[in-house]
Amino acid sequence: MKRNIGYEQVVSGQSNRGEIPSLHEAFAKDFPIGAAVSPAILDSTGSLIARHYNSLTAENDMKPIELQPEENVFTFEKADQIVRFAKEHNMRLRGHTLVWHNQTPDWMFEGQNGEPADRELLLARMKLHIDTVVGRYRGDVYCWDVVNEAIQDKEENLLRQSRWLELAGEEYIQKAFEYAHAADPNALLFYNDYHETVPTKREKIYKLVKDLLDRGTPIHGIGLQAHWNIYEPSIEDIRIAIERYASLGLQLHITELDLPMFGNDDKRREVMTPTEEMIEKQAKQYEQIFELFRSYKDVITNVTFWGAADDYTWLDYFPGKERKTWPFLFNDQHEPKPCFWGVVAK
Ligand code: GLA
């Protein structure tokens, strides 16, 4: 297949090439291709998802606040709907996420009278949550993002100053992996984080995971969230991060890929349709990124987008930055964009 992107495609997102190939089938020899979803998205976008993706992640519905909003009150309905869809369509399912500083209910960190929970109570609650959730989806969920975003971004500290750290100490991370492994010894267990190609953060992630491995923690992979954009990071920086993490001998999953059409410092709000230049830049960036991923298919064992098509993405609702961002391979009408053709072309 040729890689040229005709202007008519740029404008309409259409192709003259006849039948649209399935995205995940184009990567059948490489890695599963995933999408983050909710039951509502499965209703509105299910046929696109069933055809083009063969792995799912719950965008929100397996997070602690959704699964255990009150102590010992577990609400599995929405997560179960996603599990059912995955089974019906023979898809893999990534579990996301067990221990995080965000979207976790306050009661988890509080004692009877609202005072901070002590270490023992907090770890007992963590264990109960992990046992219940991982146990319920044993055999359905093949890997878990056990701990999400535990690292401090800028400061000197390795770890984020979260309530987990404050109340349970740094050992909470290792404990989470041990509890998850006990609850499902067959599940692959991941540490997942963002800004994973930025050198300072990259080295912190490397250090955290290396320390866990040195202590014999059951951890099998690193999740690279990959909330990038059409300008950065550079392919070289992505390659360096892949090499560095892979040197630990672990699997890598790309867990939350999206390439919005605005750079980090682009404050424009008036762009209501993507320009030709943005569309072409996105196509080029996606093409190079997937070429790189494919060349590391021995270590990259899942590539998941944080959504399915441009009509819904969390990025469009980012507080203070609300605007259309068009980050995926499919447009608002669920048709393939120029970036889709660049990615499936071999
Ligand atoms: C992080 C989390 C995801 C999601 C995104 C934003 O990347 O890991 O679960 O909340 O932020 O939507």
Side-chain angles (χ1 to χ4, degrees):
M1 237 187 250
K2 287 209 358 225
R3 290 186 179 184
N4 289 343
I5 292 155
Y7 178 69
E8 65 285 356
Q9 275 176 251
V10 170
V11 171
S12 66
Q14 299 287 336
S15 143
N16 307 325
R17 295 167 200 226
E19 205 192 328
I20 297 164
S22 148
L23 178 61
H24 79 77
E25 283 171 13
F27 288 90
K29 295 204 183 105
D30 306 307
F31 30 67
I33 301 283
V37 300
S38 61
I41 290 295
L42 292 177
D43 280 347
S44 65
T45 315
S47 58
L48 178 90
I49 291 170
R51 173 151 170 71
H52 290 285
Y53 299 90
N54 59 350
S55 180
L56 295 182
T57 306
E59 182 182 14
N60 289 300
D61 296 313
M62 289 192 186
K63 291 173 177 171
I65 201 162
E66 301 296 331
L67 291 184
Q68 200 186 171
E70 293 170 46
E71 187 156 22
N72 288 317
V73 178
F74 285 88
T75 44
F76 287 119
E77 290 78 10
K78 287 184 172 176
D80 285 355
Q81 286 179 49
I82 296 171
V83 175
R84 271 200 299 278
F85 189 96
K87 280 187 179 168
E88 275 163 20
H89 295 91
N90 202 16
M91 298 164 128
R92 287 166 186 269
L93 194 60
R94 300 195 76 260
H96 175 84
T97 180
L98 300 169
V99 174
W100 192 22
H101 63 281
N102 218 339
Q103 291 180 265
T104 300
D106 288 337
W107 66 257
M108 184 94 70
F109 304 102
E110 291 167 0
Q112 294 293 339
N113 305 308
E115 77 283 7
D118 63 30
R119 179 173 185 275
E120 204 183 336
L121 177 62
L122 184 54
L123 289 179
R125 283 172 172 166
M126 181 206 269
K127 182 169 186 327
L128 180 87
H129 185 81
I130 290 177
D131 279 350
T132 309
V133 171
V134 174
R136 181 179 184 90
Y137 295 121
R138 197 185 300 135
D140 294 330
V141 165
Y142 85 109
C143 64
W144 279 99
D145 291 331
V146 176
V147 176
N148 199 30
E149 305 178 348
I151 286 172
Q152 183 84 288
D153 278 299
K154 292 204 173 73
E155 283 85 336
E156 288 302 302
N157 297 333
L158 177 69
L159 296 181
R160 178 189 294 277
Q161 298 301 306
S162 69
R163 281 179 292 178
W164 286 112
L165 180 66
E166 185 192 323
L167 302 175
E170 59 182 50
E171 218 198 346
Y172 84 88
I173 298 174
Q174 182 171 356
K175 290 274 182 219
F177 280 94
E178 288 170 358
Y179 297 156
H181 186 59
D184 182 358
N186 294 321
L188 297 171
L189 306 182
F190 281 72
Y191 174 75
N192 189 48
D193 214 328
Y194 62 90
H195 289 174
E196 65 294 300
T197 66
V198 176
T200 45
K201 184 91 177 269
R202 182 191 72 215
E203 290 310 303
K204 287 186 183 187
I205 295 172
Y206 177 89
K207 179 172 170 22
L208 172 71
V209 174
K210 182 164 189 319
D211 287 352
L212 289 170
L213 284 169
D214 289 347
R215 274 183 269 134
T217 313
I219 176 171
H220 312 107
I222 299 178
L224 291 76
Q225 289 189 4
H227 289 298
W228 300 330
N229 62 57
I230 62 173
Y231 303 101
E232 51 184 356
S234 69
I235 301 302
E236 194 47 27
D237 282 349
I238 301 172
R239 182 199 310 282
I240 293 168
I242 292 171
E243 289 275 350
R244 185 72 169 143
Y245 299 140
S247 74
L248 291 166
L250 297 174
Q251 298 190 33
L252 308 184
H253 282 186
I254 307 299
T255 54
E256 308 186 16
L257 179 62
D258 42 28
L259 298 191
M261 291 205 192
F262 295 100
N264 283 333
D265 301 325
D266 188 337
K267 303 220 169 358
R268 284 176 299 166
R269 290 288 178 279
E270 69 286 1
V271 185
M272 298 302 171
T273 50
T275 65
E276 195 185 328
E277 189 196 339
M278 291 157 103
I279 292 168
E280 286 178 355
K281 179 75 189 131
Q282 186 177 51
K284 186 150 183 281
Q285 193 71 2
Y286 260 127
E287 182 181 332
Q288 292 182 346
I289 284 175
F290 272 85
E291 225 169 74
L292 181 73
F293 289 167
R294 205 176 238 145
S295 72
Y296 282 99
K297 66 180 182 186
D298 291 347
V299 284
I300 296 180
T301 49
N302 185 304
V303 176
T304 289
F305 292 84
W306 206 242
D310 284 351
D311 55 329
Y312 171 72
T313 162
W314 71 291
L315 293 164
D316 293 359
Y317 305 93
F318 199 91
K321 279 191 174 179
E322 294 86 351
R323 60 181 163 186
K324 284 289 288 175
T325 57
W326 314 283
F328 300 124
L329 303 182
F330 299 94
N331 68 16
D332 286 352
Q333 286 73 44
H334 301 176
E335 297 156 346
K337 291 159 61 180
C339 50
F340 170 88
W341 295 105
V343 161
V344 297
K346 284 189 187 164

